[in-house]
């Protein structure tokens, strides 16, 4: 008489450690794989007691053709599935078996792809379906509709009202959305951690009021360009969302000290806050944010024109704010050396410091900044026209880990300071726009070229982005050498340099000028980036002699002869060009992200 088929259950009376990564090492005599005799951590998701409970005898396993991979614990399956980058691959995994489907569905649906109308329609159809195998609406954790931007309306987002487990909601640039659409998603979303409604100009206090009522776990809020938001709703958010860590209020022009100080009082975990162009903010807000935000890492108050030295001079004495790493004070015109000295004293671990267009600071500020030493990686001093060579040279000596420096429009600087900057071992980006005193000597230094045969050759330059617009004494040979000695170069601005913008064969490799430029600006525009850099380099290397001859015909004959003699001595491989940053270059998105906003049109 045959015996009924059954699962061979293993004893679970003895206790052991779980199979998690924190488990202690098993004894050497333990001959089991992936599991021990303790109940499996994922019982609730699979509905079985343990992996041992699923083990079949060899004959039954053979009969039912169950592969070993089908017996993997859920955590290993999920780990394997998480390595798949394609949503189609994950979908295929879901079709293998119910076990695979249960463990792949979360990965596929936690961030549904909504980058086209077709994909969005498929997502909406699935979450609306009543008899689906999984409750897809409950699996959505991240929703990003920014790729469809201004095509998204209040009606488009209505189907997502049922998705109440969303943790990150991104509606950047969805300019057709109003309070009605945003509130319909926010209501009941107690799990929401981050909300980005950048550019939704129609949104008012009603939306932020709903956020305050429904999202107590909120950690990140970006309401950039939501110009109708006022203190009333932001204060409500500060009172209700006390876990807030990141807040962006760029161009929220109705915001005042009342709401910002409320945020400082009620959100002690604040890490980053951006008040760019909040023109009503005064010293009180800044002092409160820094003094109370002991964990504050990033503070951006660019173009807050009411900020004065007192914002920093009134900070508590004998306290250091060691967490502060990034401080952007662009165009805070009322700041002076005393404020900078206080900043360095209280924030000794600053990594990025932006003082662009703080026109009253002098060498005294730069010498104070040198106390940051190896902590300083990024420094922007564009339009600080009172700075001299001596201060910059001291900065290089004391802060030798600088990766980015912008000295645009610092017209007092000469080759001496640039040659010292060239010694920075980690320098990747440099801005020298309108530093009109520099010559090819600076370029040679930046390109790591040395004419002294007794000096050991150095490796190629690591420069990636160089801005030299309006450095009128630079030559084509110098720029050519820079291109050859900087293999990692991805951006080179040469606007206003005659040897380039007047040569149609060279400007053929330029990117297009921004549409808002005037005809004069377009004629002068000369910026190379991306693949165009390599194309320009290859073109110049094809027949340098004929290219330089062409350049000679553009000037007075006597000047051309003198220049030609000079250029033959130094050689085209003995010069290099470097650059600064101007408004034309600032239309580059990466540049704007770095805070490089120097130069006049």
């Amino acid at each position: 008489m045959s015996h009924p088929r059954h699962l061979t259950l293993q004893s679970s009376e003895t206790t052991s450690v779980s199979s998690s990564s924190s488990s202690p090492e098993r004894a050497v005599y333990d001959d089991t794989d992936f599991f021990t005799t303790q109940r499996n951590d994922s019982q609730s998701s699979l509905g079985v007691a343990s992996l041992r409970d699923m083990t079949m005898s060899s004959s039954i396993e053979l009969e039912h053709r169950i592969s070993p991979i089908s017996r993997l614990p859920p955590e290993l399956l999920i780990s394997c599935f998480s390595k798949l980058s394609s949503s189609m691959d994950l979908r295929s995994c879901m079709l293998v078996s119910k076990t695979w489907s249960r463990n792949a569905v979360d990965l596929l649906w936690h961030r549904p792809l909504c980058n086209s109308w077709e994909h969005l329609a498929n997502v909406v159809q699935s979450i609306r379906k009543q008899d689906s195998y999984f409750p897809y609406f409950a699996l959505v954790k991240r929703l990003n509709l920014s790729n469809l931007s201004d095509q998204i309306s209040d009606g488009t987002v209505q189907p997502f009202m049922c998705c109440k487990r969303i943790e990150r909601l991104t509606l950047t640039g969805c300019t057709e959305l109003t309070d009605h659409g945003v509130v319909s998603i926010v209501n009941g979303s107690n799990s929401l951690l981050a909300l980005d409604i950048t550019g939704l100009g129609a949104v008012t206090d009603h939306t932020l009021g709903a956020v305050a009522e429904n999202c107590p776990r909120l950690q990140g809020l970006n309401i950039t360009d939501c110009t109708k938001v006022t203190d009333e709703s932001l204060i409500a958010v500060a009172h209700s969302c006390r876990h807030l860590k990141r807040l962006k209020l760029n161009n929220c022009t109705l915001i005042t000290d009342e709401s910002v100080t409320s945020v400082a009082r009620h959100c002690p975990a604040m890490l980053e806050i951006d008040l760019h162009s909040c023109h009503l903010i005064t010293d009180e807000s800044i002092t409160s944010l820094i003094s109370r935000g002991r964990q504050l890492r990033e503070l951006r108050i660019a173009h807050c024109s009411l900020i004065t030295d007192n914002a920093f001079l009134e900070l508590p004495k004998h306290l250091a704010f060691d967490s502060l790493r990034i401080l952007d004070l662009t165009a805070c015109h009322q700041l002076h050396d005393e404020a900078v000295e206080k900043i360095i004293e209280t924030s000794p671990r600053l990594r990025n410091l932006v003082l662009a267009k703080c026109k009253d600071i002098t060498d005294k500020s730069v010498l104070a900044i040198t106390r940051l030493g190896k902590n300083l990686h990024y420094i922007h001093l564009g339009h600080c026209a009172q700075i001299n060579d001596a201060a910059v040279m001291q900065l290089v000596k004391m802060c030798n880990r600088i990766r980015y420096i912008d000295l645009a429009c610092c017209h007092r600087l000469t080759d001496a300071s640039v040659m010292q900057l060239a010694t920075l071992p980690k320098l990747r980006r440099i801005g020298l726009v309108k530093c009109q005193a520099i010559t090819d000597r600076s370029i040679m230094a930046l390109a790591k070229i040395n004419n002294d045969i007794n000096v050991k050759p150095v490796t190629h330059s690591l420069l990636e982005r160089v801005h030299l617009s309006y450095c009128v004494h630079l030559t084509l040979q110098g720029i050519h050498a820079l291109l050859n000695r900087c293999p990692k170069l991805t951006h080179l601005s040469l606007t206003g340099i005659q040897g380039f913008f007047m040569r149609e064969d060279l400007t053929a490799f330029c990117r297009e000028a921004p549409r808002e430029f005037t005809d004069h600006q377009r004629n002068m525009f000369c910026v190379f980036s991306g693949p165009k850099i390599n194309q320009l380099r290859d073109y110049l290397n094809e027949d340098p002699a004929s290219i330089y001859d062409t350049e000679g015909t553009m000037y007075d004959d006597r000047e051309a002869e003198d220049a030609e003699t000079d250029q033959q001595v130094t050689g085209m491989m003995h010069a290099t060009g470097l650059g600064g940053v101007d408004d034309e270059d600032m239309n580059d998105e990466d540049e704007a992200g770095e805070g490089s906003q120097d130069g006049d049109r």
Side-chain angles (χ1 to χ4, degrees), residues 359-551:
K359 298 182 179 181
D360 289 331
I361 72 170
T362 69
D363 288 351
K364 190 176 180 181
S365 289
V366 180
L367 294 176
I369 293 169
T370 62
R371 297 203 297 270
L372 294 174
K374 65 181 182 181
N375 293 316
L376 186 65
H377 291 177
Y378 178 115
I379 178 72
H380 198 319
L381 298 169
H383 287 268
C384 298
Q386 301 185 53
I387 294 174
N388 293 285
D389 282 337
V392 174
M393 294 168 71
Q394 185 65 19
L395 179 69
V396 173
K397 291 177 182 177
M398 301 298 292
C399 305
N400 62 359
R401 294 192 180 182
I402 291 175
R403 291 165 170 78
Y404 177 102
I405 186 165
D406 198 318
L407 297 164
C409 301
C410 295
H411 59 83
R412 296 185 181 182
L413 299 184
T414 69
D415 289 332
S417 55
V418 180
M419 292 170 70
Q420 191 70 31
L421 286 167
T423 65
L424 290 168
K426 296 180 180 293
L427 189 63
R428 299 293 187 273
R429 305 182 181 189
I430 185 168
L432 297 169
V433 169
K434 296 185 181 178
C435 294
Q436 296 183 349
I438 69 171
T439 68
D440 278 355
R441 291 183 62 203
S442 294
I443 303 306
M444 290 196 303
L446 287 169
K448 309 295 185 184
I449 294 175
N450 197 310
N451 292 325
D452 190 343
I453 60 174
N454 296 318
V455 177
K456 183 179 179 180
V458 295
T459 57
H460 284 82
S461 171
L462 300 177
L463 284 170
E464 297 172 359
R465 300 175 69 87
V466 177
H467 305 274
L468 297 167
S469 296
Y470 304 105
C471 295
V472 294
H473 295 299
L474 302 184
T475 68
L476 174 58
Q477 285 89 337
I479 302 301
H480 185 184
L482 182 68
L483 287 165
N484 283 332
R485 295 288 294 178
C486 300
K488 296 187 176 182
L489 198 64
T490 60
H491 183 98
L492 178 63
S493 71
L494 301 171
T495 297
I497 297 180
Q498 265 192 333
F500 275 80
F501 78 84
M502 295 182 67
R503 293 275 302 268
E504 291 185 1
D505 59 325
L506 300 181
T507 55
F509 301 103
C510 287
R511 70 184 193 194
E512 290 188 10
R515 294 179 179 178
E516 64 271 19
F517 275 18
T518 64
D519 289 340
H520 174 70
Q521 289 173 325
R522 287 177 176 275
N523 291 335
M524 301 279 284
F525 185 79
C526 193
V527 176
F528 306 89
S529 59
K532 296 293 186 180
I533 292 281
N534 294 329
Q535 295 172 20
L536 176 63
R537 183 188 292 117
D538 293 342
Y539 175 74
L540 291 175
N541 286 334
E542 282 179 5
D543 189 2
S546 63
I547 292 173
Y548 296 151
D549 286 344
T550 302
E551 182 190 26

